[in-house]
Amino acid sequence: MNHFHNSRLTMRKPAVNTRLLCAALVLLAAAGLSACGGKEKKAGQALASVNGEEITVLQLNEELQRANVPAVQQDAASKQLLESLIDRQLLQNEAVKDKIDRDPKVVQAVERAKALIVAQAYMQKRIGVIAKPAAAEVEDYFNKNPQYFSQRKQFDMRELIIASADMKDDLKKAMDAAKTLEEVAAWLDANNVKYVRTQLSRTSADLAPELSSKLAGMPKGQLFIIREGDRTLLISLADIKDTPVTLAQAAPQIEQFLFNKKNKEAADAELKRLRASAKIEYLNKTDKPAAASASASASAAVAASVPVAPAAPVAESSDVNARGVAGLK
């Protein structure tokens, strides 16, 4: 049995309600701004008034733009969004009454949101509009990476998830001696050890090249272990299938991947330029990063404003390679 020690299985976290988060940020920002002075007349034709506070056409148009509502649905969406703006204004008014806008944590959150927005706006202006990859670039990437496309493989796996606290010597010996996942499951049942049985499938397009090669070379039924904090996963390679995709099928994903890559490279270059011309002092010497990681977050300022592909055609990060089988997520 293969043991992958010190590996970490990265699990998906529950998705955050993006619209709710955006609404909360706008609420906090508005509350923070209102604390800076008296009421200011908002630009644009008023559509509604909430306890004297106007909601304008400009606000509604911005909400429509952010929601990316198709033209044929804008009339119905406008009514819903106007009600949402009214609800938001009511919450903001109550927040100001309760002086929540003066809470140090809220003030800090507002300042952080403001800094991010300004930084993103600058980066977008500086970088400008990045041209989409040409068809020749997309085809070249497709041809140079057959393992992700024309020679793509799918790995079907079964796993038992066990609490790491239950990984006693007798269980380890049982795992080492077992030839199948079912033998281990039977031992767990006989010894009243709790576990969860799951299955997953990943393709060579999802995994680092080294990992794909390792899995492709394994015989069916091969067992291996992944340690992840308070959980231990015993995985069995159930099957390997050829699942090729054509250039036509892969083109949109490759195009988005290459487009994102160009955006990141442009952002990295701009951050490198700014760092080179700035005087940066670390008052606590232990906070000073190594030269290699000094600009690790170079593209963070535009990350939120650049569309991300559903899945990158290739996992190029050195972190993915380092995680080994933990790249199965």
Side-chain angles (χ1 to χ4, degrees), residues 1-321:
M1 181 190 306
N2 291 342
H3 294 261
F4 295 85
H5 296 285
N6 300 320
S7 293
R8 176 173 59 84
L9 183 69
T10 304
M11 303 299 291
R12 287 188 176 90
K13 298 181 178 179
V16 176
N17 188 320
T18 306
R19 292 187 179 181
L20 183 59
L21 179 60
C22 290
L25 279 176
V26 172
L27 171 61
L28 290 175
L33 293 173
S34 68
C36 299
K39 295 181 181 179
E40 294 183 5
K41 184 171 180 59
K42 299 175 183 177
Q45 178 184 353
L47 295 175
S49 176
V50 181
N51 295 328
E53 292 285 350
E54 291 184 346
I55 295 174
T56 68
V57 172
L58 290 179
Q59 288 177 276
L60 181 58
N61 287 341
E62 184 175 356
E63 294 298 317
L64 285 168
Q65 184 178 357
R66 286 182 179 275
N68 197 25
V69 179
V72 294
Q73 299 176 7
Q74 287 196 358
D75 285 343
S78 294
K79 295 177 181 179
Q80 295 177 1
L81 289 172
L82 179 57
E83 294 305 313
S84 295
L85 285 169
I86 291 173
D87 290 342
R88 185 188 302 171
Q89 188 64 55
L90 287 169
L91 291 171
Q92 179 186 332
N93 292 349
E94 291 305 304
V96 173
K97 283 182 184 178
D98 291 346
K99 298 183 179 180
I100 293 176
D101 56 314
R102 301 181 187 181
D103 184 298
K105 291 183 179 179
V106 174
V107 173
Q108 186 177 15
V110 170
E111 288 302 315
R112 180 179 181 278
K114 179 181 177 181
L116 284 172
I117 291 169
V118 173
Q120 288 172 7
Y122 167 79
M123 190 66 84
Q124 287 292 86
K125 179 181 179 181
R126 182 73 185 184
I127 292 176
V129 179
I130 301 293
K132 286 191 174 183
E137 292 180 76
V138 174
E139 185 174 1
D140 182 61
Y141 188 90
F142 178 89
N143 293 331
K144 288 181 177 178
N145 295 278
Q147 69 274 29
Y148 306 123
F149 307 110
S150 60
Q151 298 175 16
R152 189 178 71 167
K153 293 185 180 298
Q154 177 177 309
F155 305 101
D156 295 332
M157 288 158 281
R158 308 291 181 266
E159 64 181 13
L160 302 179
I161 304 176
I162 308 161
S164 294
D166 291 330
M167 290 295 293
K168 304 293 194 294
D169 289 341
D170 54 349
L171 175 53
K172 292 177 184 178
K173 289 179 181 178
M175 285 184 172
D176 288 336
K179 294 182 179 180
T180 67
L181 203 67
E182 294 307 319
E183 288 181 28
V184 179
W187 189 96
L188 294 171
D189 289 333
N191 290 272
N192 296 317
V193 177
K194 294 181 179 180
Y195 64 92
V196 176
R197 189 189 293 265
T198 63
Q199 59 185 33
L200 69 159
S201 295
R202 291 293 179 266
T203 72
S204 52
D206 305 319
L207 308 173
E210 297 86 347
L211 178 53
S212 292
S213 297
K214 185 175 291 186
L215 289 176
M218 285 184 181
K220 293 180 183 179
Q222 174 72 56
L223 298 178
F224 53 93
I225 293 175
I226 292 176
R227 306 291 175 86
E228 188 208 30
D230 60 355
R231 309 189 321 160
T232 296
L233 300 99
L234 177 64
I235 302 178
S236 171
L237 181 60
D239 198 9
I240 302 175
K241 305 172 185 174
D242 291 324
T243 56
V245 293
T246 64
L247 174 59
Q249 291 171 318
Q253 188 181 23
I254 297 174
E255 183 181 89
Q256 187 65 66
F257 172 75
L258 294 177
F259 178 74
N260 290 349
K261 186 178 179 183
K262 287 183 178 182
N263 270 283
K264 184 180 183 303
E265 288 171 349
D268 286 344
E270 176 60 11
L271 262 295
K272 184 177 181 180
R273 184 188 72 82
L274 292 174
R275 280 177 171 268
S277 61
K279 183 180 180 181
I280 301 174
E281 298 180 74
Y282 293 91
L283 303 183
N284 185 346
K285 300 303 180 183
T286 60
D287 292 335
K288 187 174 182 179
S293 61
S295 59
S297 60
S299 59
V302 294
S305 57
V306 176
V308 179
V314 52
E316 294 185 344
S317 167
S318 60
D319 177 58
V320 171
N321 292 325

